Amino acid sequence: MAVPELWAGTDAGKAAHHCVVLGADGKRRLSRRVDNDETALLKLIADVLELSDGGPVTWAIDLNSGGAALMIALLTDNGQQVLYIPGRNVHHASGSYRGDGKSDAKDAFVIADQARMRRDLEPIHRGDDIAVDLRILTSRRLDLAADRTRAINRLRARMLEYFPALERAFDYKTSKAALVLLTQYQTPAALRRIGRNRLAAWLKNRKVRNYQLVAATAVDAAEAQHTAVAGERLAAAMVAKLAREVMTLDEEIAETDTLIEGRFRDHPHAEIILSMPGLGPVLGDEFIAHTGGDLSIFASADRLAGVAGLAPVPKDSGRISGNMRRPRRYCRRLLRVFYMSAMVAARSCPVSRTFYERKRAEGKGHKQAAIIALARRRLNVLWALIRDGRAFELTAPQTPVTLG
């Protein structure tokens, strides 16, 4: 008697999921909507395993976090393999299936059928506890940085409406002194009333660096405008509130950075990663967060390079051959880790600088070729270091000797 093989596709949602199970012949064996609840999900898993009669079941899902996190945890805890198929792939694939309508049941069917036919889908790994913590922390830091950028843009846009001279006087992204100033003084009249000396003393009491220069710059901007624009009072109050908001975000970002660095240094690969020139705690924690902390799941450095978008794929057509391009599906955060570290290493590491200069001498461009080639080379080195459990050792490049 042949052992049945089943594919279970799940269209994940916030409150509920829809699961469709297909047999080897592509026919539905089960279609069910279940609440995103532990009891209901465990019942679904038990029913599908009973349906398989001891045969293998391959699960596939269109989310790898968020509302699908509980189901993924339950499946992995029960020893089930879970494949990830991105929602955009499900959307594109749906066009080749019967019917123009969209429903959760149809999406779940497409997910299961794609898992049945394709062999290039990535299995989901939960990762170690440190990697999961770092993914949460780095995601939070990304949100905080985005909120900070939006707040600064709003602050500058509001200030531009009534006090353009002060808006262009400081770089509010980097100047904490300017933000401190705006918490109390936001209008030309207020700055003229307090004057340079008293403003400098006020800033000094708040431990502002270069307080005299900041005071002089702000008062000079106020002297350049004596006209009060309509709505100035309300706009100034909003600017003060936004300045305090940015300062609060700066404090939370600093606290998050401390948590990230502390958690990163607890990882067994931390010292190896930090030994690589150009890889500090910030890029290192992103590397751990987006690889799950276990490189063995990628099987080879080439596979990791493919996931990071550093392994080009052919783009040939007709008589045209030899063209290469970046793959369409890759982890942009991993690409950023190796790209940014290569940018730093090309300036600070003699070995990396020699490699980069050789690629430029071969006619390769800075960004498109030389840095990308260096990033790929560094990925291979980091892979080997983690595999062998040893730190990077800087060896000066050998200069060829010319015999006369």
Side-chain angles (χ1 to χ4, degrees):
M1 179 179 178
V3 177
E5 185 172 0
L6 301 180
W7 288 265
T10 301
D11 179 56
K14 295 179 180 179
H17 310 317
H18 199 104
C19 180
V20 170
V21 179
L22 302 181
D25 55 2
K27 294 183 178 179
R28 281 185 177 88
R29 303 289 300 277
L30 179 146
S31 179
R32 183 187 301 174
R33 179 181 175 84
V34 293
D35 291 336
N36 191 10
D37 173 79
E38 181 174 330
T39 302
L41 293 175
L42 286 173
K43 178 66 167 59
L44 171 68
I45 294 170
D47 290 346
V48 174
L49 293 179
E50 182 180 355
L51 193 64
S52 71
D53 195 23
V57 179
T58 300
W59 299 78
I61 198 163
D62 62 342
L63 291 176
N64 58 6
S65 60
L70 177 59
M71 184 167 189
I72 292 170
L74 294 173
L75 287 170
T76 53
D77 287 347
N78 283 274
Q80 300 297 299
Q81 182 187 48
V82 188
L83 302 179
Y84 172 53
I85 174 168
R88 63 179 180 276
N89 290 11
V90 178
H91 173 72
H92 293 315
S94 295
S96 60
Y97 288 80
R98 180 184 301 176
D100 295 330
K102 181 190 182 304
S103 66
D104 293 343
K106 179 182 177 181
D107 288 345
F109 177 88
V110 172
I111 293 168
D113 201 41
Q114 289 292 300
R116 183 175 70 91
M117 295 186 297
R118 294 176 59 169
R119 296 296 179 267
D120 61 337
L121 298 178
E122 287 290 328
I124 296 177
H125 299 273
R126 293 183 65 180
D128 58 43
D129 289 340
I130 296 177
V132 173
D133 289 349
L134 287 175
R135 187 167 64 246
I136 294 171
L137 288 170
T138 54
S139 178
R140 174 58 178 163
R141 194 195 187 284
L142 188 65
D143 290 341
L144 290 172
D147 290 343
R148 183 181 189 274
T149 299
R150 282 192 291 268
I152 290 175
N153 289 341
R154 293 190 189 107
L155 181 149
R156 301 193 69 162
R158 190 63 60 206
M159 195 182 305
L160 187 63
E161 294 178 351
Y162 77 93
F163 198 175
L166 188 61
E167 186 275 333
R168 61 176 178 266
F170 299 103
D171 183 356
Y172 297 95
K173 290 183 179 179
T174 59
S175 177
K176 182 180 179 181
L179 295 173
V180 172
L181 171 73
L182 290 178
T183 61
Q184 184 67 29
Y185 302 100
Q186 313 89 22
T187 64
L191 288 169
R192 284 195 301 272
R193 279 195 301 270
I194 191 171
R196 295 187 186 186
N197 294 335
R198 285 196 297 158
L199 180 58
W202 184 86
L203 292 170
K204 182 181 179 181
N205 291 336
R206 282 150 184 80
K207 297 180 172 57
V208 170
R209 297 176 60 186
N210 299 324
Y211 54 89
Q212 291 181 334
L213 177 61
V214 173
T217 302
V219 173
D220 285 346
E223 293 292 348
Q225 179 179 329
H226 290 263
T227 301
V229 178
E232 178 185 85
R233 181 179 299 177
L234 181 57
M238 294 179 65
V239 165
K241 185 176 181 179
L242 286 167
R244 287 190 289 269
E245 180 181 334
V246 174
M247 294 173 66
T248 301
L249 287 169
D250 284 338
E251 293 176 0
E252 190 169 355
I253 288 172
E255 293 172 359
T256 305
D257 286 343
T258 301
L259 291 173
I260 288 174
E261 182 171 357
R263 201 67 179 113
F264 167 69
R265 291 186 181 276
D266 290 338
H267 198 275
H269 296 157
E271 294 305 318
I272 297 174
I273 293 170
L274 292 176
S275 70
M276 282 280 291
L279 272 176
V282 174
L283 294 178
D285 70 65
E286 287 200 29
F287 174 76
I288 294 295
H290 294 285
T291 57
D294 181 10
L295 295 190
S296 64
I297 65 176
F298 296 101
S300 68
D302 291 341
R303 182 59 189 148
L304 176 60
V307 174
L310 291 172
V313 297
K315 186 182 180 182
D316 299 337
S317 179
R319 297 180 181 180
I320 300 175
S321 62
N323 288 341
M324 306 296 286
R325 63 166 175 82
R326 185 176 298 161
R328 295 184 184 277
R329 294 185 294 115
Y330 62 93
C331 178
R332 283 162 173 77
R333 301 291 293 277
L334 269 181
L335 175 63
R336 178 183 177 273
V337 167
F338 288 104
Y339 183 85
M340 295 301 295
S341 71
M343 290 280 287
V344 175
R347 298 191 301 267
S348 60
C349 174
V351 175
S352 296
R353 185 166 60 249
T354 299
F355 180 87
Y356 168 79
E357 290 173 352
R358 185 168 75 247
K359 291 299 177 183
R360 291 304 304 271
E362 293 173 1
K364 296 184 181 296
H366 165 69
K367 176 181 177 181
Q368 293 77 5
I371 290 293
I372 293 295
L374 177 58
R376 173 60 190 275
R377 176 70 173 268
R378 289 169 54 80
L379 180 148
N380 292 342
V381 172
L382 183 59
W383 170 275
L385 293 176
I386 293 177
R387 179 197 62 197
D388 299 339
R390 58 188 177 88
F392 178 83
E393 296 179 3
L394 183 62
T395 303
Q398 297 295 321
T399 304
V401 178
T402 304
L403 299 178

